[in-house]
Structure formats: structure tokens, C-alpha cells
Amino acid sequence: MTRTWPFLSALLLLLAVGGAFYGLSLEAGGDAEWNEAYYWRAARFTVLQAGLSALLATGLAIPVARALARRGDFMGRDLLLRLFALPLVLPTLAAVLGIVSVFGANGWINRALDAAGMGARVPLYGLTGILVAHVFFNMPLAVRLLLKVWSAVPGETWRLSAQLGMDGNAIFRRIEWPLVRRHAPGVAGLVFLLCATSFTPVLALGGGPAATTLEVAIYQSLRFDFAPDRAAVLAVLQLVLCIAALMAWQALARPMPAAPTSGRGDIRPDRAGTAWRDGAWIALAAMFVAAPLLSLLLDGVGPALLRVLGEAAMWRAMALSTAIAAMTALLSLAISAGLLLGTRHLRRTAPRAAMPFLSLGLVALVVPPFVLGTGWFILLRGTGDPLRFGIAVIVAINALMTLPYVVRALDPALAGTEERYGRLSASLGVDGWHRFRLVDWPALRHPLGLALGLCLALSLGDLGAVALFGGGDTATLPLMLYQRMGSYRIDEAAALALVLAALCLGLFTLSEKIVGGPGDN
Amino acid sequence: MKRFFPLFALALLAALPARAETLTVYAYSSFVGKYGPGPAIKTAFEAECACTLDWVALDDGVAILNRLKLEGAGSRADIALGLDMNLVAEARQGGMFAKHGKPAAKLSLPVEWTDDTFLPFDYGHFAVVYDTQKMSAPPKSLKELVDGDPAQKIVIQDPRTSTPGLGLMLWVKAVYGKDAPAAWAKLKPRVLTVTKGWSEAYGLFTKGEAPMVFSYALSPAYHMEMEKSTRYQAASFSEGHYLQVEVAGKLKSAKQDALADKFMAFMLTPGFQGKIPTGNWMYPVSDPGAALPASFDKLVKPAKTLLLPPEQVAANRRAWTDEWLAAMSK
Amino acid sequence: MTIERAGIALEAVTFRFADMAMRFDLEVASGAWLAVTGPSGAGKSTLLNLIAGFETPLSGRVTIDGRDMTGVPPAKRPVTTLFQEHNLFAHLSVADNVGLGIDPRLKLDNAQRAQVGAALAQVGLRDVEKRLPAQLSGGERQRVALARSLVRARPVLLLDEPFAALGPAQRREMLALVGQLRAERGFTVLMVTHQVDDALHGPDLAAFVNDGRIIAVDAPAALFARRDLPELGDYIGR
């Protein structure tokens, strides 16, 4: 089993991606020409906006994470961290509208500036808008990932720093910064990938076609020019670009520390006198994340919400969305399990191959879901009506999209148990299922709860795969949301966005509580 | 895996309604959604045909055509409904569609309809819709829009990803001809942002992000009828307004050939046309069976209809889009 | 319960770690207690890992009690290893940690549970079954690991500096405990240590490892008295 499972996972992944590309190559495109300057500009803009987004999101996450690490005890900290998981899993359109409510030309900030009689306005559309959206989506993720760095600082270190009389600055320079410098590039790399393939925010807030990314060009090739083969070439270009970024990332990144030690913030010597500064960082970050979410709540609550909640179709869509999300999560976990087992095996036998093997799981992140979908549609039509496979393909594509998060969440924990207990388990003959049950599960269940929650929520918010393979009967919540917007029912769309956000948050919390077990992060 | 299978099977089962004599129609999603005309049309047609009408909801007209191209002869669609007129030439090239016989009713369109493959089912003019609370003097022509105050912004759609976006591009082309790039360059500072589709643009507009949005001449009718509000109005342009005609066609590969013919005929009867004005917020192409809502009288009536031949659009779309890109990316 | 005695032999075993080539030839009679000494990085732990099966020789073979160990996974070898740290699963109770030595699936009947208690008693621990490793002292944790080697009843005990972190008195106690268990159970013991003192208190043989090779094996007192090995002189600081 330890051999076949990883093999099957890798095979499935390669087949899924390779098959999609093969399918696309079968369908020769129209007469559309290869506009080199255009693609070159798109590639450049992709790197520019993703690079800036990664720098900003990670750079801002560092002081916020530090403040949160230092204040391990304030009320509402858990709630805040849970809130920080929301931007990533919200349907992008809903999130973009939330951002517009706050930062837009007629948003809260500009209206406050006007009310205060200041001539100045904050412009949103253009590169600024893209960056604001990307920081909104990814800064909270970066904070959550970076917080693990602090939780790995042993309690002895804090006691020692207290004894040596180190102040906040000295602690940052000597203890925190070396850790952050090791781990931040990895976090920034992940953010880069997420932003490189971002789509809706770029188009909605970019201000015009100067803000064209490769993802937009791929979509255009598939949709408007209907040139699947060219879409495949562009997708390969994007893949190469992202793999280059991925390699740079892996060269810079260090594995995240695994098992949290007793490193609680409450014994740090530099807590006194920094409460105001920490409070300011935390409050700013919380407001930045919470304000657009709050606007979703305000826009969503109203008579339209009651109307929407009274609709049987809405509950059916919710049930279908939830079922798809559950199947997605199971499939994603099954594939990840194979990748993780294989990686563990390789760490023992061929350490150099371990990380490249694990990176297979990231591939789907950089292949647009509509590329996967269209490629498979072409392949499946040979078997009759591809819509018969609708839900299966939607689930498969969603599962591929969620793999990076699952792998990223689980690998450090698994690497940790291997490092500590690998030999001991081998010498005692604790292996297979029992190794999982007795050794890995206790360390795994917490990150697993997080991974499962992310899977569920990401799949709930997805539109890409559903839009391609869905038909009359596969009305999911995001699809319904778009439908209402298309019929001028913007109030009901807002209500649906709220329902969707609540469902995301609910499932996320549930899986963190049930699977993740008791205890906090 | 074992636990996963029953769930999966259940979802599949739920997705497969099995009944004989089912007519499958591909349409865009807002057409078949709760507030679209789809549900009422389904009821009306099923009462006449003693069959089942199965809507398959796709993103938009482009998605319908792409889906048909992907599926080829294996498509389960009998009819495709909701193609934009600008897609007609391209759709014809594939040879997927069957010719219709004679239209069952007299068509009332701003242009003469001669197409032997596709039948129109509704039409409307594009228009710039503005917020009367923010703008007292809307532009009176496309030229005024282009030359106007850049502080008064407009939200438009991307011609690479949306039908209205393409409509605006063609409108500018129809008015400015080879000077279109210069016009776009001039308009550019007025453009707040360029969205992927109509929904995003209209959402930003109603949020108050910009006083103008590119939309339809009939958009204000929705607000007047459903919200009793005259806040949002369309600006009448002296050069004329670009026309959008939405069409349907029967596929050669239709499995329910007779039923499909029946539906194409039904499409031009009051049972279908009557649902269009307040369902799809477009004009019917033949007798809707009842008077149009009062608010329709208050709408902009274009003095002139602009329309480029579908063949010319199909031949130049790519080049014009590149031109637009170049002008808007500077 | 006495366990079957087993002798250990390494026959022309070679191994490469980074750029250090190692070669070991060694024979340990069954029931013997051998202290393995030598400078850091000389290959002492590697020697134990080769016997335990954590590392695979490039050539040569390891036999235990005459049986060729090539291809035998660690859990199937007649060997128990005690590491310097992480001998216990931090999230499992003391009783579970010992119980794993009886059944890696941790399905124990009453008799086996009693056996766990007895083993703990034998290493001098009482009423600790329900505690977690973090609630014990360093010496107590290594006693728990020793208790597990008792219930595992494998004839070879490999000690990889498990007492290095303990104080002199505690270390002496633990060595006495190992000696006592060996006498009762007939273990063959290989013990890596940095302390000449450790080798003199219990083991009946000592080996000196340098640069990937076993240079000498002798009775401990005799070995450390040798003057013909300059490396040994450097090591013990003479």
C-alpha cells in the first residue's frame, strides 16, 4: 500500500493535467494569430502584479503575525484567526464587491473623506485595486502560516532572552528575524502563485486591459477565440513561468517547523510597553479584513435575505454545493495522502526527489480550472454526452485545485512525526494503519481540520469548473448568485453571497472543531 | 473510496431526470433563472406539447456556442437559444445548425431579417445608463461621451470576455470607423474599469462607483417596473444606438426534430414573446399578446439603429479587438 | 523469563556517509556487554544503525545469532534500540509507550497490561502508567524505554548514548540497572558512550572506533591502558 497509493496519486495527477493538455491539442483553433507582443506584455504584468502582491501581503503579515504572537491571550483572538481564513475561501466576486464597498470610489473610506471635507480621494482601480484585493485575500493566509514560526520558538528561548535583558528590538533582530527570514520566502512564494493565477479581481479592479494577465489571455483564447490549442500553449507558458517561480520559492523556503512547543507568547519579556503598538497592528489588520466582510453582511441582510431563505431552489443549491464540496474534500485528501506517503518514503530513500514529488500537488494551482475542464470535455465527448460526467469532473477539478492547500498544511506535521518518531516506529514495527492511528493522527488532526475546512470552503466558492460542466440541474450557490446578478436582482445576489459566506464559515469551523479536535492554533 | 461512492451516485441520480419526449434547449443562465422568462416559457410550452422542456443553463451566448463546438454531433442539445447576433456568422460556419422553414409569425425588428438558419426571439439597443442623482447632463451622443469630462466615469465591459463589451466596441467602430482607436484613447481616462461581464459592471454601477455604465436601453424599465424608481436612466445618443438581436437555432443533430420545430414556431407566439419584456428586459420580436408595460413608453427610442453585418464582424473581430487593446493599454 | 542469547557479527560491512568511507568487522559473543567509544563522527552510531537495520550496508553482512540480517526490516530484527532522546511518543501515556513493545497495534489483554506494570516495576517505576512523558524526568523517561525493551524481549539491546543527558549518580544507577537486566534476561548489549567512566562500570568489553573503523576491542580497563594507539590517546586526553 505504501508504494501503490503514492504511485496512483501521482499517476492520477499527471493523467489529469496531461490529459487536459492532450484534449486541448486535439482541437485546432480558428484563424486567430499569435500576438506575441500581447502575450509578452501579459506575462510581464502577471509577474509584476504577483510579485508586488506577494511582497506586500507577506511584508504586512510579518508585523501582524508578530503582534498576534506576542499577544497570545486577548479575547477574540481565536475568532480573529478564523475570520482570517474567510477571504481566501469567499467567492471572488463577493469578495471583490465587498472590497469595492469599502475602498471603492463610493466606498466607506472615500465617503468618510468627503464627509470630513477633505479634497483627497483614494483611487482604487488600476494596479492599486489589484494589490488591495490580493492583500485582502492573501495577507490573512500569510499571517496564519507565519504564526506557526512563532509557535515553534521554545519556551526556553523566551526565558533566556528575559534573563539576558533583551528588549523588543533585540528579540526581533536576534530571535524572530532569523526565523522569519527563513520562512517568509516560502509564504511569499505561495502568495505569488495564488496571485499569478488570479482572475476576477484583476479584471474587475484592474481598470482596463493594460492589466491583462496570462490567465486572462488563456480565458480569452478559450472563450472568445475558441482556440483550445493556443490556450494550451499559453497555459504551458504560465506553467513554466510558475514552475520557475516555484523552484525559486523552494530554493528559498525552509520547511515549516512542525510540532508546536510550549512557546506561548505570555512568557515573552517584551510584552510590557508594546501593547499599544501590537494593538494597533492587530486592529488595523482586523479592520482591513473585517470591513469588506462586514459590508457583505450589511448588504446581505434585508428583505431579500428572507426571500432567498424561503426558496426551495436555494436549499437545493446549497445541498448540491455542500455535497460537491464534501466529495471534493474526500478526493483531495485521498490524493494528498498518496503524495504525502510517497514524499515520506522518498525522504528516507531519495531525499532529493522528495520535494519535487510533493510539488506535483502544486501543479494544479497554476493550470487554470477552465483549461483542465475544457481539455477533459474534449476527451470525454468521445464517450457520448460529457455532461454525464458533470459532477465527477467538477469534483475532480475542484479536488486538484485544493491539493496545494492540503499538501501545504499536512506535510510539515507529517515530516515532523517522521523526524521524531520515524526510527522508533520502524524499530517497534508500528507501521501502516497503526502507524497512522497511533503516531501520525495525533499530530495530523489539527492541520487536517484546517485542510479539510479549506477544501470544503474553496470548493463551495468555485465557479470555474461548474460554469463549464454544469447544466440545468447543477445549480450551485455561486452559479445562482451570478444568475441573480444577471437578472438585475443585486439585492438577492448580495443575500446569496452572505448565505455562501456563512456556509463557508460554518463548514470551516465545523471541520476545524470536529476533525481538528480541541485546543487552539 | 467506498464511502465516497454512494454520495457520488446520489448526486448523479439527482442530476438525471429521466422522462420520455424531452426537448433539450441550451440557453444562458439568467434567461432560465428564477427571474428570467425561462420557467414561465417552460410551463407554457409543456402545456402545449405534452412533453418536457429541459433548460441547460450556460454562462452566456459565447459559452453556448463553445459548448456546441466542443460537443460536436454528440451534443444533447436540440436547440440553442440566446446566441448574440455577432456570433451568428461563426455559428453558421460550423455547419451545426439546420435551416428553419418560414417564420411562423411576422417579425417586427428595427432591421430586416433574412437569415435562413437563425430566428430572432428578442432584441434591444445598447445604451449608456446613468445615475440621475449624480449626473444632470448626461452625454447626448457617443461623441459627447468620448470627449466629456474625465472626472465623470463610466464602467464598461471587456470585448474579449463579454457580449455587451463587444457591442460597445462595434458601436464605436460603426460611428468612428478607422478613427476608432483615437476615440478609445480619448475615452480611456473616463473609464473607471473594464469588467469581465455585464453583471460585474452593473453591480459596480449600482454600488455608486461610477455615474455611468454600459448596459441596455431597457435597463431603466427594470428599475421603474420592479423598484418603482426612475433614478437610473438611459442616455439617448444622436448617432443612433447599436442593436443587439438574440437568436435561436435548431441543431442538425437534434434528437427531437419535430419537437424542436414545434418550439421554434412556439418561440414567435405570445406564449413565449409575452414573457420577454419583463422577464428578459428586451423587446419582443412579434406579438407579445398584451400591451407592453407602461414604463416601456418612457424608454429611450433610438432615432437610428446601428448594426454591422455579422460576416464583417466575424472577419474583423480579432483585428478590432487588438486595436482596442492597443488603444486602451497605452 | 530468559531470552535466547544471540551473538552479533559484522563481516566486512562497508558504508558511506557523506565523504567518509566506513568498514566494520566485529564479533560480539552472545550475552556480552560491549561499550563502543570513540570521537564524535567516528561512526559509532552508524555501527549501531547498521545492526538495527536503519542503515543498509553497501557490502558485507550483519548476522545476529548466525542469521543473516540482510533485507530484514528493523522491526523484525532481534534488536531493541534506545536512542539518546525521543524514545517515547510524547502524546501517548507511559503504559501505552511500553505496551507498544508488546503489540505495535496496541491491542492489549489484561495479562499483557499486567506485564507492562511488571516491567515498569522492574525498572523502578511505580504509578506512572497514566502519565505523559513530559511529566517525567529525563532519567525516568529512559527507564520507561528500558521497560519497553523488557517487554519486547529481543535478545540484543543497542544503547545509543541514552544516558548522556543524566547526572553521574543517575547514570551509574542506570548502568547498574542495565547490568541487572542483562544478568536476569541474558541480553547481548552494545552501548555507545562518550564516557570512559561508563565503559568501566559494567561492560565487559570496550571497542574503540575511529574514522569509520574499529581499531581495537579489549577488556575496558585494558583497552584504556593501551599506549600503542595515538588516536586513543588523543581521544581520552592523554
Side-chain angles (χ1 to χ4, degrees), chain A residues 38 101 104-106 125 203-204 207 209 212 223-226 299 381 385 387 468 483 485 488-489 492, chain B residues 29 34-35 60 62 66-67 69-70 76 159-160 192-194 199 206-209 219 226 317-318 328:
Chain A
Y38 173 50
S101 293
N106 191 37
Y125 300 91
L203 273 179
T212 290
R223 284 281 312 249
F224 214 63
D225 302 333
F226 193 70
D299 287 349
R381 71 179 171 195
D385 183 2
L387 281 188
L468 243 148
Q483 224 168 48
M485 276 194 92
Y488 294 92
R489 262 63 177 195
E492 292 190 7
Chain B
S29 107
K34 184 184 172 202
Y35 294 111
D60 56 14
V62 181
N66 284 350
R67 172 66 75 83
K69 282 186 190 168
L70 281 177
R76 74 168 163 166
R160 293 172 296 174
L192 181 75
T193 195
V194 183
S199 296
T206 51
K207 264 190 177 305
E209 286 296 286
S219 297
M226 309 309 285
R317 198 190 63 190
R318 175 78 201 189
M328 290 293 286

Side-chain angles (χ1 to χ4, degrees), chain A residues 348 417 419-431 433-443, chain C residues 49 54-55 74-76 79 81 83 86-92 97 100-101 104-107 148 152 154:
Chain A
R348 280 180 220 146
T417 62
E419 194 183 335
R420 280 183 80 166
Y421 302 128
R423 284 187 168 178
L424 184 59
S425 307
S427 74
L428 292 173
V430 179
D431 56 14
W433 163 243
H434 301 290
R435 155 90 194 240
F436 176 76
R437 182 173 64 95
L438 294 169
V439 182
D440 296 321
W441 171 246
Chain C
N49 287 340
F54 298 129
E55 308 282 13
K76 294 270 189 290
V79 165
T81 309
F83 306 100
H86 297 320
N87 281 304
L88 305 182
F89 295 102
H91 56 278
L92 296 180
N97 264 296
L100 275 174
R105 290 161 307 158
L106 211 51
K107 300 251 159 32
R148 184 166 60 209
R152 285 195 89 211
R154 304 285 166 102

Side-chain angles (χ1 to χ4, degrees), chain C residues 156-218:
Chain C
V156 175
L157 193 55
L158 302 176
L159 308 178
D160 194 353
E161 297 192 68
F163 312 134
L166 306 181
Q170 249 190 330
R171 218 163 58 222
R172 205 71 66 76
E173 266 176 44
M174 293 301 286
L175 286 171
L177 180 59
V178 170
Q180 176 205 332
L181 298 175
R182 170 181 164 236
E184 286 171 20
R185 300 295 186 90
F187 287 121
T188 305
V189 183
L190 258 72
M191 176 177 84
V192 171
T193 178
H194 264 296
Q195 307 287 335
V196 171
D197 197 44
D198 284 359
L200 293 171
H201 285 88
D204 35 36
L205 280 171
F208 180 66
V209 180
N210 193 51
D211 200 18
R213 259 149 239 270
I214 300 167
I215 298 188
V217 183
D218 216 330

